[in-house]
Amino acid sequence: MEIFGQCFAEDHALAQGLVDYLGSGEHHRITEQVGCYSAALEQAGEITLFADPVGQFPLFYDRSGRYSTKASDLGVDIDRGYLATRLACLDSTGMLENRSLYQEVRRVREGHALRVKDGQLDERPFAPLRVDPDLSAADAAEMLQESLTAAVRARALSARRLVSDLSGGLDSTSLAYLALDDVAELPVFTHYNPESPVLDDVERAERYVRSEPRFDQQVVKVSAEHLPYQELVSMGDEPHPASIACGPARLRLSAAAALGADVHLVGEGGDAVLWAPGAYFIDLARRGDLATLWRHCFAWARLRNRSPLSVFRRAVVMAGLGRRRALLRLADTLERGRLVDDMSWEVSVIARWDLPQVHWFTRSTRHLLAAQARFAADQESDVDSAEFAVLSQLRLHGFAQRVLREAGDEVGVAVHAPFLDTAVVRAATTIPAHRRADPTVAKPLLKKALAGLVPDRVLSRETKGDYSREAYQGLRRAAPCLRKLLADSAAADFGLIDPVPVLQTIEDAVNGLRVPWGALNQVLAVEVWLRANAGEVAST
């Protein structure tokens, strides 16, 4: 048996789990230990692959049954449709299925087991993430408390020297406080950019440190050369924006290594599992829970200074449209090459997926994506819109975490994200998305779970630090390099994009205009990845 990921079980527990599995087929002692990991079991003439339910440590396989943690170990030719879908930020549409970046290489679906025997491949669910509509919020909070404290404790007890991020935000600060139960002193790292400080975060972090003497605060000052876009390198097995914006993380990890740390806690994934995407409005309307829908529309509209009726109307329209018709409309939009809707707050938030920047793509890319959207429209799905979006977000957080782990490996520090542990994610996502969202309270489930374990002054925070100024600052500084990069675009040579409108978006950002950061960053990540893998791309 091989374990891929972060598993904190003792060897004897896994050995007993293996005995149980070989005797009765019972897998729980193998798959449900503290941590997040995938597993491969090999016996005479048979292989069984258990993919972690979160998607943080994926397993890939080809038709012959060979498997690996990297699709690049098994494939040669790039899957153009997969790359185009990632480029367009359409992960939440279902167009990717279980494909990978390489043709003829598949990903074992999250929470599924793939059995390979006598040349036959059989994939079945063993523990996918599921919503339990009957579970009470109190029970979910208790599950979250138990799983999160166990996740942090496992790291604290196994580390030679544990350190943690403490940005001043709710997620990382909560992890740092939980770790104090098992360490006498905890070095904590606060990111600070003197040119554009996020004072709301920095001041709170300093306040928390002053009131807790066991915190040893390390303030990491981010210089101009470590801003986003300054170091355009390809990290991870496939393109992800984290690889072009990890300068501050690299600084924190280097500082952690200098202190002799071997395990560094980060708050990655907290937003995905503890909040709810705007698609939950659609689910409320589809289920006919109009009273709850109106209450949430009214509260959110008031916060955004919008009309609650327009929010309500948008949710009802999208619910009536349905997933199939929404995908067909997306296909039509892609083929036309322009958006049909404006980008109002209601349109951008109450949606099943992000609206793509269709004018950035070549005609062939748009038609390829449109064909995939029409194919996906014919596939049945019993997962609510919000839950589907959460699963997609978790997969993206998995990509980001792989980039952070790679950056940590460079300096000898293991990066761990307790919020992405399997049991933590399962506890947080067991109740429906609309019950995880509260317009008046940020992350209500986490606050209920950690009451009494984390100080009220931390849990009472309702705001979130805004780091967009750093993005603008970094892009302005890197603009000459980005212009040169896109003027000789590898993505354009590969027939994916028209660089002219992307260059215009760069100029908009330089001038401080509003830009689609997620889409722009993904294009740049693909551009950098294509250049780093020029040989493979050329063969395709």
Side-chain angles (χ1 to χ4, degrees):
M1 178 169 66
E2 286 186 277
I3 299 295
F4 305 99
Q6 298 166 347
C7 176
F8 294 91
E10 299 288 345
D11 286 350
H12 67 83
L14 289 174
Q16 184 58 53
L18 188 56
V19 170
D20 292 347
Y21 179 77
L22 295 176
S24 64
E26 172 56 55
H27 62 79
H28 295 291
R29 287 198 185 185
I30 293 174
T31 60
E32 296 183 5
Q33 301 289 346
V34 175
C36 183
Y37 56 93
S38 295
L41 277 62
E42 296 191 26
Q43 46 191 313
E46 182 177 334
I47 299 173
T48 304
L49 306 178
F50 291 99
D52 86 75
V54 178
Q56 190 181 172
F57 297 95
L59 292 175
F60 300 92
Y61 64 95
D62 63 15
R63 289 181 175 179
S64 69
R66 294 188 306 148
Y67 67 91
S68 177
T69 57
K70 292 185 176 181
S72 56
D73 291 341
L74 304 172
V76 176
D77 294 330
I78 304 299
D79 184 332
R80 189 185 186 89
Y82 180 94
L83 185 60
T85 303
R86 293 293 319 284
L87 179 71
C89 300
L90 290 173
D91 303 67
S92 299
T93 59
M95 289 159 53
L96 292 177
E97 301 178 279
N98 67 331
R99 290 154 60 181
S100 80
L101 188 55
Y102 294 86
Q103 295 179 32
E104 308 301 329
V105 178
R106 294 282 172 168
R107 170 180 50 83
V108 184
R109 290 177 175 87
E110 293 87 350
H112 283 60
L114 177 74
R115 185 185 184 196
V116 183
K117 185 176 182 180
D118 299 328
Q120 301 297 312
L121 284 71
D122 180 29
E123 184 176 323
R124 299 183 183 184
F126 74 90
L129 300 176
R130 299 287 191 196
V131 166
D132 181 356
D134 297 323
L135 188 72
S136 69
D139 287 342
E142 183 178 354
M143 290 170 57
L144 180 59
Q145 181 190 104
E146 292 175 357
S147 58
L148 191 56
T149 53
V152 175
R153 174 164 291 125
R155 274 82 178 179
L157 297 180
S158 65
R160 181 181 68 251
R161 187 174 194 191
L162 182 74
V163 300
S164 177
D165 280 350
L166 196 156
S167 68
L170 181 57
D171 298 341
S172 63
T173 305
S174 295
L175 295 178
Y177 272 101
L178 290 177
L180 290 177
D181 285 344
D182 297 291
V183 296
E185 179 191 59
L186 183 68
V188 291
F189 293 84
T190 303
H191 162 153
Y192 176 67
N193 179 356
E195 296 299 319
S196 56
V198 182
L199 294 177
D200 193 24
D201 272 2
V202 173
E203 291 172 357
R204 285 177 180 273
E206 292 175 346
R207 196 181 313 157
Y208 301 149
V209 169
R210 284 197 302 270
S211 61
E212 178 46 75
R214 289 175 292 173
F215 284 147
D216 176 19
Q217 188 181 32
Q218 308 288 317
V219 177
V220 178
K221 291 188 178 181
V222 178
S223 57
E225 58 266 25
H226 289 97
L227 288 169
Y229 311 107
Q230 307 310 300
E231 189 178 6
L232 298 175
V233 296
S234 179
M235 300 176 66
D237 197 34
E238 60 181 88
H240 186 274
S243 63
I244 62 173
C246 63
R250 283 178 181 272
L251 283 176
R252 295 196 303 275
L253 291 168
S254 295
L259 290 179
D262 60 329
V263 176
H264 190 125
L265 301 183
V266 297
E268 183 75 36
D271 288 344
V273 301
L274 297 168
W275 201 235
Y280 86 84
F281 284 83
I282 301 172
D283 298 328
L284 286 173
R286 185 173 61 83
R287 292 174 182 274
D289 190 353
L290 300 184
T292 302
L293 175 62
W294 175 253
R295 179 166 55 85
H296 281 237
C297 287
F298 187 85
W300 280 115
R302 188 175 182 181
L303 288 172
R304 293 281 179 168
N305 197 28
R306 308 289 296 187
S307 162
L309 186 59
S310 65
V311 180
F312 185 87
R313 184 183 297 115
R314 173 69 180 175
V316 172
V317 168
M318 290 301 296
L321 190 64
R323 177 179 177 274
R324 182 177 185 278
R325 288 171 60 197
L327 281 166
L328 294 176
R329 175 182 283 189
L330 172 64
D332 291 342
T333 299
L334 287 162
E335 288 184 333
R336 279 194 300 266
R338 61 183 179 84
L339 294 176
V340 295
D341 289 316
D342 61 18
M343 286 300 292
S344 66
W345 180 80
E346 294 85 354
V347 170
S348 61
V349 172
I350 306 175
R352 292 177 171 86
W353 44 75
D354 293 335
L355 290 174
Q357 301 297 310
V358 292
H359 59 296
W360 290 3
F361 309 130
T362 62
R363 186 174 183 273
S364 62
T365 298
R366 290 189 285 104
H367 281 269
L368 175 61
L369 290 171
Q372 291 184 177
R374 289 197 171 93
F375 178 81
D378 291 330
Q379 310 305 306
E380 294 293 331
S381 175
D382 60 352
V383 181
D384 281 351
S385 299
E387 309 307 336
F388 200 101
V390 168
L391 293 175
S392 300
Q393 289 174 8
L394 283 172
R395 195 173 301 126
L396 294 176
H397 279 288
F399 288 133
Q401 188 62 14
R402 288 199 284 280
V403 170
L404 287 176
R405 287 199 302 270
E406 188 173 314
D409 290 343
E410 292 175 355
V411 294
V413 178
V415 181
H416 288 243
F419 282 111
L420 290 177
D421 265 18
T422 300
V424 175
V425 174
R426 194 179 300 282
T429 59
T430 296
I431 60 173
H434 70 270
R435 290 172 53 199
R436 297 198 298 274
D438 187 332
T440 63
V441 180
K443 300 178 181 176
L445 187 63
L446 182 68
K447 294 181 176 182
K448 187 184 292 289
L450 298 187
L453 299 179
V454 173
D456 289 342
R457 61 181 174 275
V458 175
L459 299 179
S460 62
R461 182 175 183 182
E462 298 297 335
T463 59
K464 185 175 177 64
D466 180 5
Y467 290 83
S468 61
R469 286 178 61 192
E470 276 192 3
Y472 280 105
Q473 183 185 358
L475 190 141
R476 288 191 187 99
R477 189 173 190 271
C481 177
L482 297 178
R483 292 184 187 110
K484 184 177 179 181
L485 192 76
L486 290 169
D488 182 27
S489 169
D493 289 344
F494 199 50
L496 290 170
I497 67 166
D498 174 1
V500 174
V502 184
L503 279 165
Q504 181 56 54
T505 302
I506 297 288
E507 299 309 317
D508 290 345
V510 168
N511 292 316
L513 301 178
R514 183 179 176 184
V515 296
W517 287 111
L520 176 61
N521 291 341
Q522 187 61 40
V523 167
L524 295 175
V526 168
E527 182 69 36
V528 172
W529 187 90
L530 287 171
R531 290 169 182 266
N533 295 272
E536 297 171 69
V537 175
S539 69
T540 301

